[in-house]
Amino acid sequence: MYMNEKIRKIRSKIQSFDFNTSLTIKVLIVMIVVFLTVLMFPRGESIEFEYRIGSIWGSEDIIAPFSFPIYKDERQYEREKEEAAHAVKPVFRRDAEQVDRSIDSLRTLSGRIKAAIDFELDHREREAVRRREPDVQEQLERDALMLQEFKRDLSVQFNAGEWEALVSLREGLDTGEITSLEELRATIESFVRDYYRRGILNKPKDDIEHEDIALRRNADEVITPVDRFYDISEVNMTFEEEISELLPDDPAKQSAALKLGSYHIRGNIIFDEEETGRLRTIAREEVPRTIGFVLENERIVSRHERITENTKLRLDSFRRAKAERGGVTNLWLQYAGKGLHVTIVLLLCGIYFFLFRPKVFNNNAKIALIALIILMMAFFAYLSHAVNVDAPVEYLIFVPAAAMLLTIMFDSRLAFYGVVTIALLVGGIRGNDYSIMIVSLIGGALAAYTVRDIKHRTQIFRSMVFIFLGYTLTILALGLERFETPMAMLREVTFAGANALFSPILTFGLLIFFERVWKITTDLTLLELSDFNHPLLKELSQKAPGTFHHSLVMGSLAETAAEVINANTILARVGAYYHDIGKSLKPEYFIENQMGFKNRHDKLSPRMSSLILISHVKDGYELGKKHGLPKEILEFIPMHHGTTLISYFYNRALEKKSENDVINENDYRYPGPKPQTKETGIVMLADAVEAASRSIDEPSVAKLKATIDGIIKSRFEEGELDECELTLKDLTNIREAFFKVLVGIHHPRIKYPGQAEKDKNAGRLEQGPLQEKEYKETGAMPPEETPTEPGTKR
């Protein structure tokens, strides 16, 4: 019982633990990034200036504080080791017993062939004599089976023509140069002995890279040309030529003799792979690692001296010697310093998130995503430093891809800070290579700039030109400063061009992956959702055309308002499109979709009408989840009403209540929550303003202004905007934006003769006699909502 209780408590703690906002998780993510990044830093002391062959040393003179060896360049050292190993000649040994084994095998096979042929000749004689005797037929069949068994047991199989040629030799019927089977065997044996006497390699000559081999016999070794020996293919070819000359007019005999001899020819000059490998290992180990010494107090490099290949080797060796002399303690101090370097960079990034991006700071999933992108770039930097190639591979660190990903998934400001962080880490991982840090910073900043207002996915590829231009100009500037050769700068620009080509491709692929795994809603996702062919919008336009038109006008209002207060314009517009999708399930209960005289609410109680109106929020949310709408869009569905009161039906309920009825105001309020973001707050205001503006008779500038002011003031006083980030200045700007859009929609038109009477009659038909009377008598707005109450809308 005690254990079960303990397990329950642990489960309860785990379930209540908020992984997405926990400070512990944040610290853990930072620790992992610091640890992995420090491991990628180069081991050893860094000389605090970048140096390349051909550049000018800009620091003070460096005097050796102690003597140290000058190590060869790693590529040169590996090349020399391979050359030394290749110089070792392959070792072969002569197998003196192979000739005896082959001759014995040939004689054994010849004896078995003789026995088989003798049995067959006897069988033929018996068959000729006894064919007339029916009682011996069974014995003859058994003999035939036995003969087949004899032939199958032979190690070499002959076809019918070859076998008959051998039979004729056994019978001694031939009159040519070879008249018997025994004579054929002796001739083949003579050829084989000659081949073994010269030597047959068990390895094809094409696979032997040297012209000579080291032929060993016991302790003696003789360097012998490869051409003095046969290999298997050559000996078979020679044997075939000699047999053809010996038996020129009998193809069957030639084929039988070739099979008989070729089967027993094996290599007797055997490649000793183990000994050859051992000698090559020794040769590699004997290659000297150093090419000289720098003595104590000797000058390593002078100020303003051009860096030559030898100078670079001396500087590299000095750095290595300092690291080796430091020992374990110094190594730990190095790692501690590098860890502090990374921690400071990440701390500055974290402070920026805390102060200016609280939504990102409070979302551990997004922090983990940013950390993963940083680690990816750090790993590219590590590979470029660790890979031992004579090429400027540092320009294949895809910092522009990281910049574009951060811009598209977050925004350009966060991307710029991310690029600065990545560039600092890349420079450190590459051994304080500040030139690549500057190049990465400029290339990444330009990449972020190109996708800051992205409208479609293919726009990512437009950034290729800007990335290449940024890299090229920076490389030329740094190259001219260091007096690099044009060829060296051209190589660097070529690799930068590869970066500009592959960064957008990498961005395109990773963006899809991050959107799916992290459920990130980017502007690209929102733009795809704004397509009116989306199933939800298509269904809304068909089943609830009035609501669909209302959503389109709302989208224009919301987008304009979001632009003037620097909110996300695309999010506000798309949120407006989907905020009322729940009405597609019961469109006839909402007045903007009622095309006739009857209003469904006339026969319903106020409570039932309010439940139907409130249900469109829940229905819309479930419908959106079913179709996979992102969380950011789903929030608009409940938040665009907040906790506002459905005042029309609440007032009707108060009018109709009896003495025993209890009317609860909360029953006539939307469940909320209130808007939590600027965008949802804008859509709440746009919803009420658009509905109210359509109910104004003969709208004028003064009426529109009064309606907008009244709605915004009402929502503010009711506290519906308390939980979003809209300020009083924002509300003022929103009011002006709404006004400009509505004036454009409700601009005055020229009245044609008789048009006024037609409009009046059409208005009665749209409203219906009962509704028109109620509205005029009560001064109320249509039954969904009033200008100051965000209940339902006309």
Side-chain angles (χ1 to χ4, degrees), residues 39-101:
L39 291 181
M40 298 181 203
F41 269 72
R43 182 183 172 187
E45 295 287 340
S46 285
I47 296 173
E48 296 303 321
F49 291 89
E50 183 210 353
Y51 52 92
R52 294 185 182 182
I53 296 175
S55 62
I56 305 300
W57 181 256
S59 181
E60 300 296 331
D61 295 1
I62 296 182
I63 307 299
F66 49 82
S67 298
F68 61 88
I70 301 174
Y71 293 96
K72 294 177 181 177
D73 177 72
E74 197 63 35
R75 289 188 296 272
Q76 178 188 352
Y77 179 56
E78 291 297 327
R79 187 166 55 249
E80 288 181 2
K81 287 200 300 183
E82 290 307 312
E83 288 173 356
H86 186 266
V88 174
K89 300 185 185 302
V91 178
F92 284 79
R93 298 183 185 275
R94 183 181 288 273
D95 186 356
E97 298 178 357
Q98 180 61 48
V99 60
D100 295 332
R101 287 196 297 270

Side-chain angles (χ1 to χ4, degrees), residues 715-774:
R715 294 295 183 270
F716 180 75
E717 291 176 349
E718 290 171 356
E720 292 297 326
L721 304 175
D722 289 351
E723 297 178 13
C724 65
E725 302 168 352
L726 293 175
T727 63
L728 290 175
K729 183 179 180 181
D730 290 338
L731 293 177
T732 302
N733 292 331
I734 290 171
R735 180 190 65 183
E736 296 300 324
F738 283 171
F739 176 72
K740 289 179 181 178
V741 174
L742 290 178
V743 166
I745 295 174
H746 297 285
H747 64 274
R749 296 175 177 84
I750 297 174
K751 294 287 185 179
Y752 294 96
Q755 186 66 36
E757 186 63 27
K758 290 181 181 180
D759 289 345
K760 184 176 180 181
N761 294 334
R764 289 197 182 97
L765 287 174
E766 287 178 2
Q767 258 182 359
L770 180 60
Q771 292 167 346
E772 183 182 18
K773 180 181 178 182
E774 286 179 346

Side-chain angles (χ1 to χ4, degrees), residues 170-181:
R170 179 62 177 158
E171 289 180 308
L173 301 178
D174 290 352
T175 58
E177 192 169 342
I178 301 296
T179 59
S180 69
L181 188 59

Side-chain angles (χ1 to χ4, degrees), residues 274-295:
E274 182 178 351
E275 181 64 14
T276 304
R278 187 183 70 83
L279 293 176
R280 286 177 176 172
T281 300
I282 293 172
R284 289 189 184 97
E285 293 172 351
E286 289 178 349
V287 175
R289 184 69 184 84
T290 61
I291 55 174
F293 274 86
V294 173
L295 300 178

Side-chain angles (χ1 to χ4, degrees), residues 575 578-582 614-622 624-625 629-644 669-676 680-681 683-684 687 720 790-791:
Y578 288 89
H579 80 288
D580 266 347
I581 56 174
I614 291 171
S615 69
H616 90 274
V617 171
K618 182 181 178 182
D619 292 342
Y621 195 87
E622 294 299 324
K625 284 180 66 177
L629 290 184
K631 174 177 170 289
E632 289 80 359
I633 299 300
L634 290 174
E635 288 176 347
F636 283 87
I637 297 173
M639 289 183 189
H640 82 277
H641 282 306
T643 59
T644 53
R669 285 190 178 276
Y670 285 95
K674 295 177 181 179
Q676 305 292 309
T680 51
V683 169
M684 167 184 269
D687 186 32
E720 292 297 326

Side-chain angles (χ1 to χ4, degrees), residues 84 105 169 171 240 261 372 384 431 504 535 631 774:
S105 176
L169 285 171
E171 289 180 308
E240 184 177 352
L372 178 60
S384 72
K631 174 177 170 289
E774 286 179 346

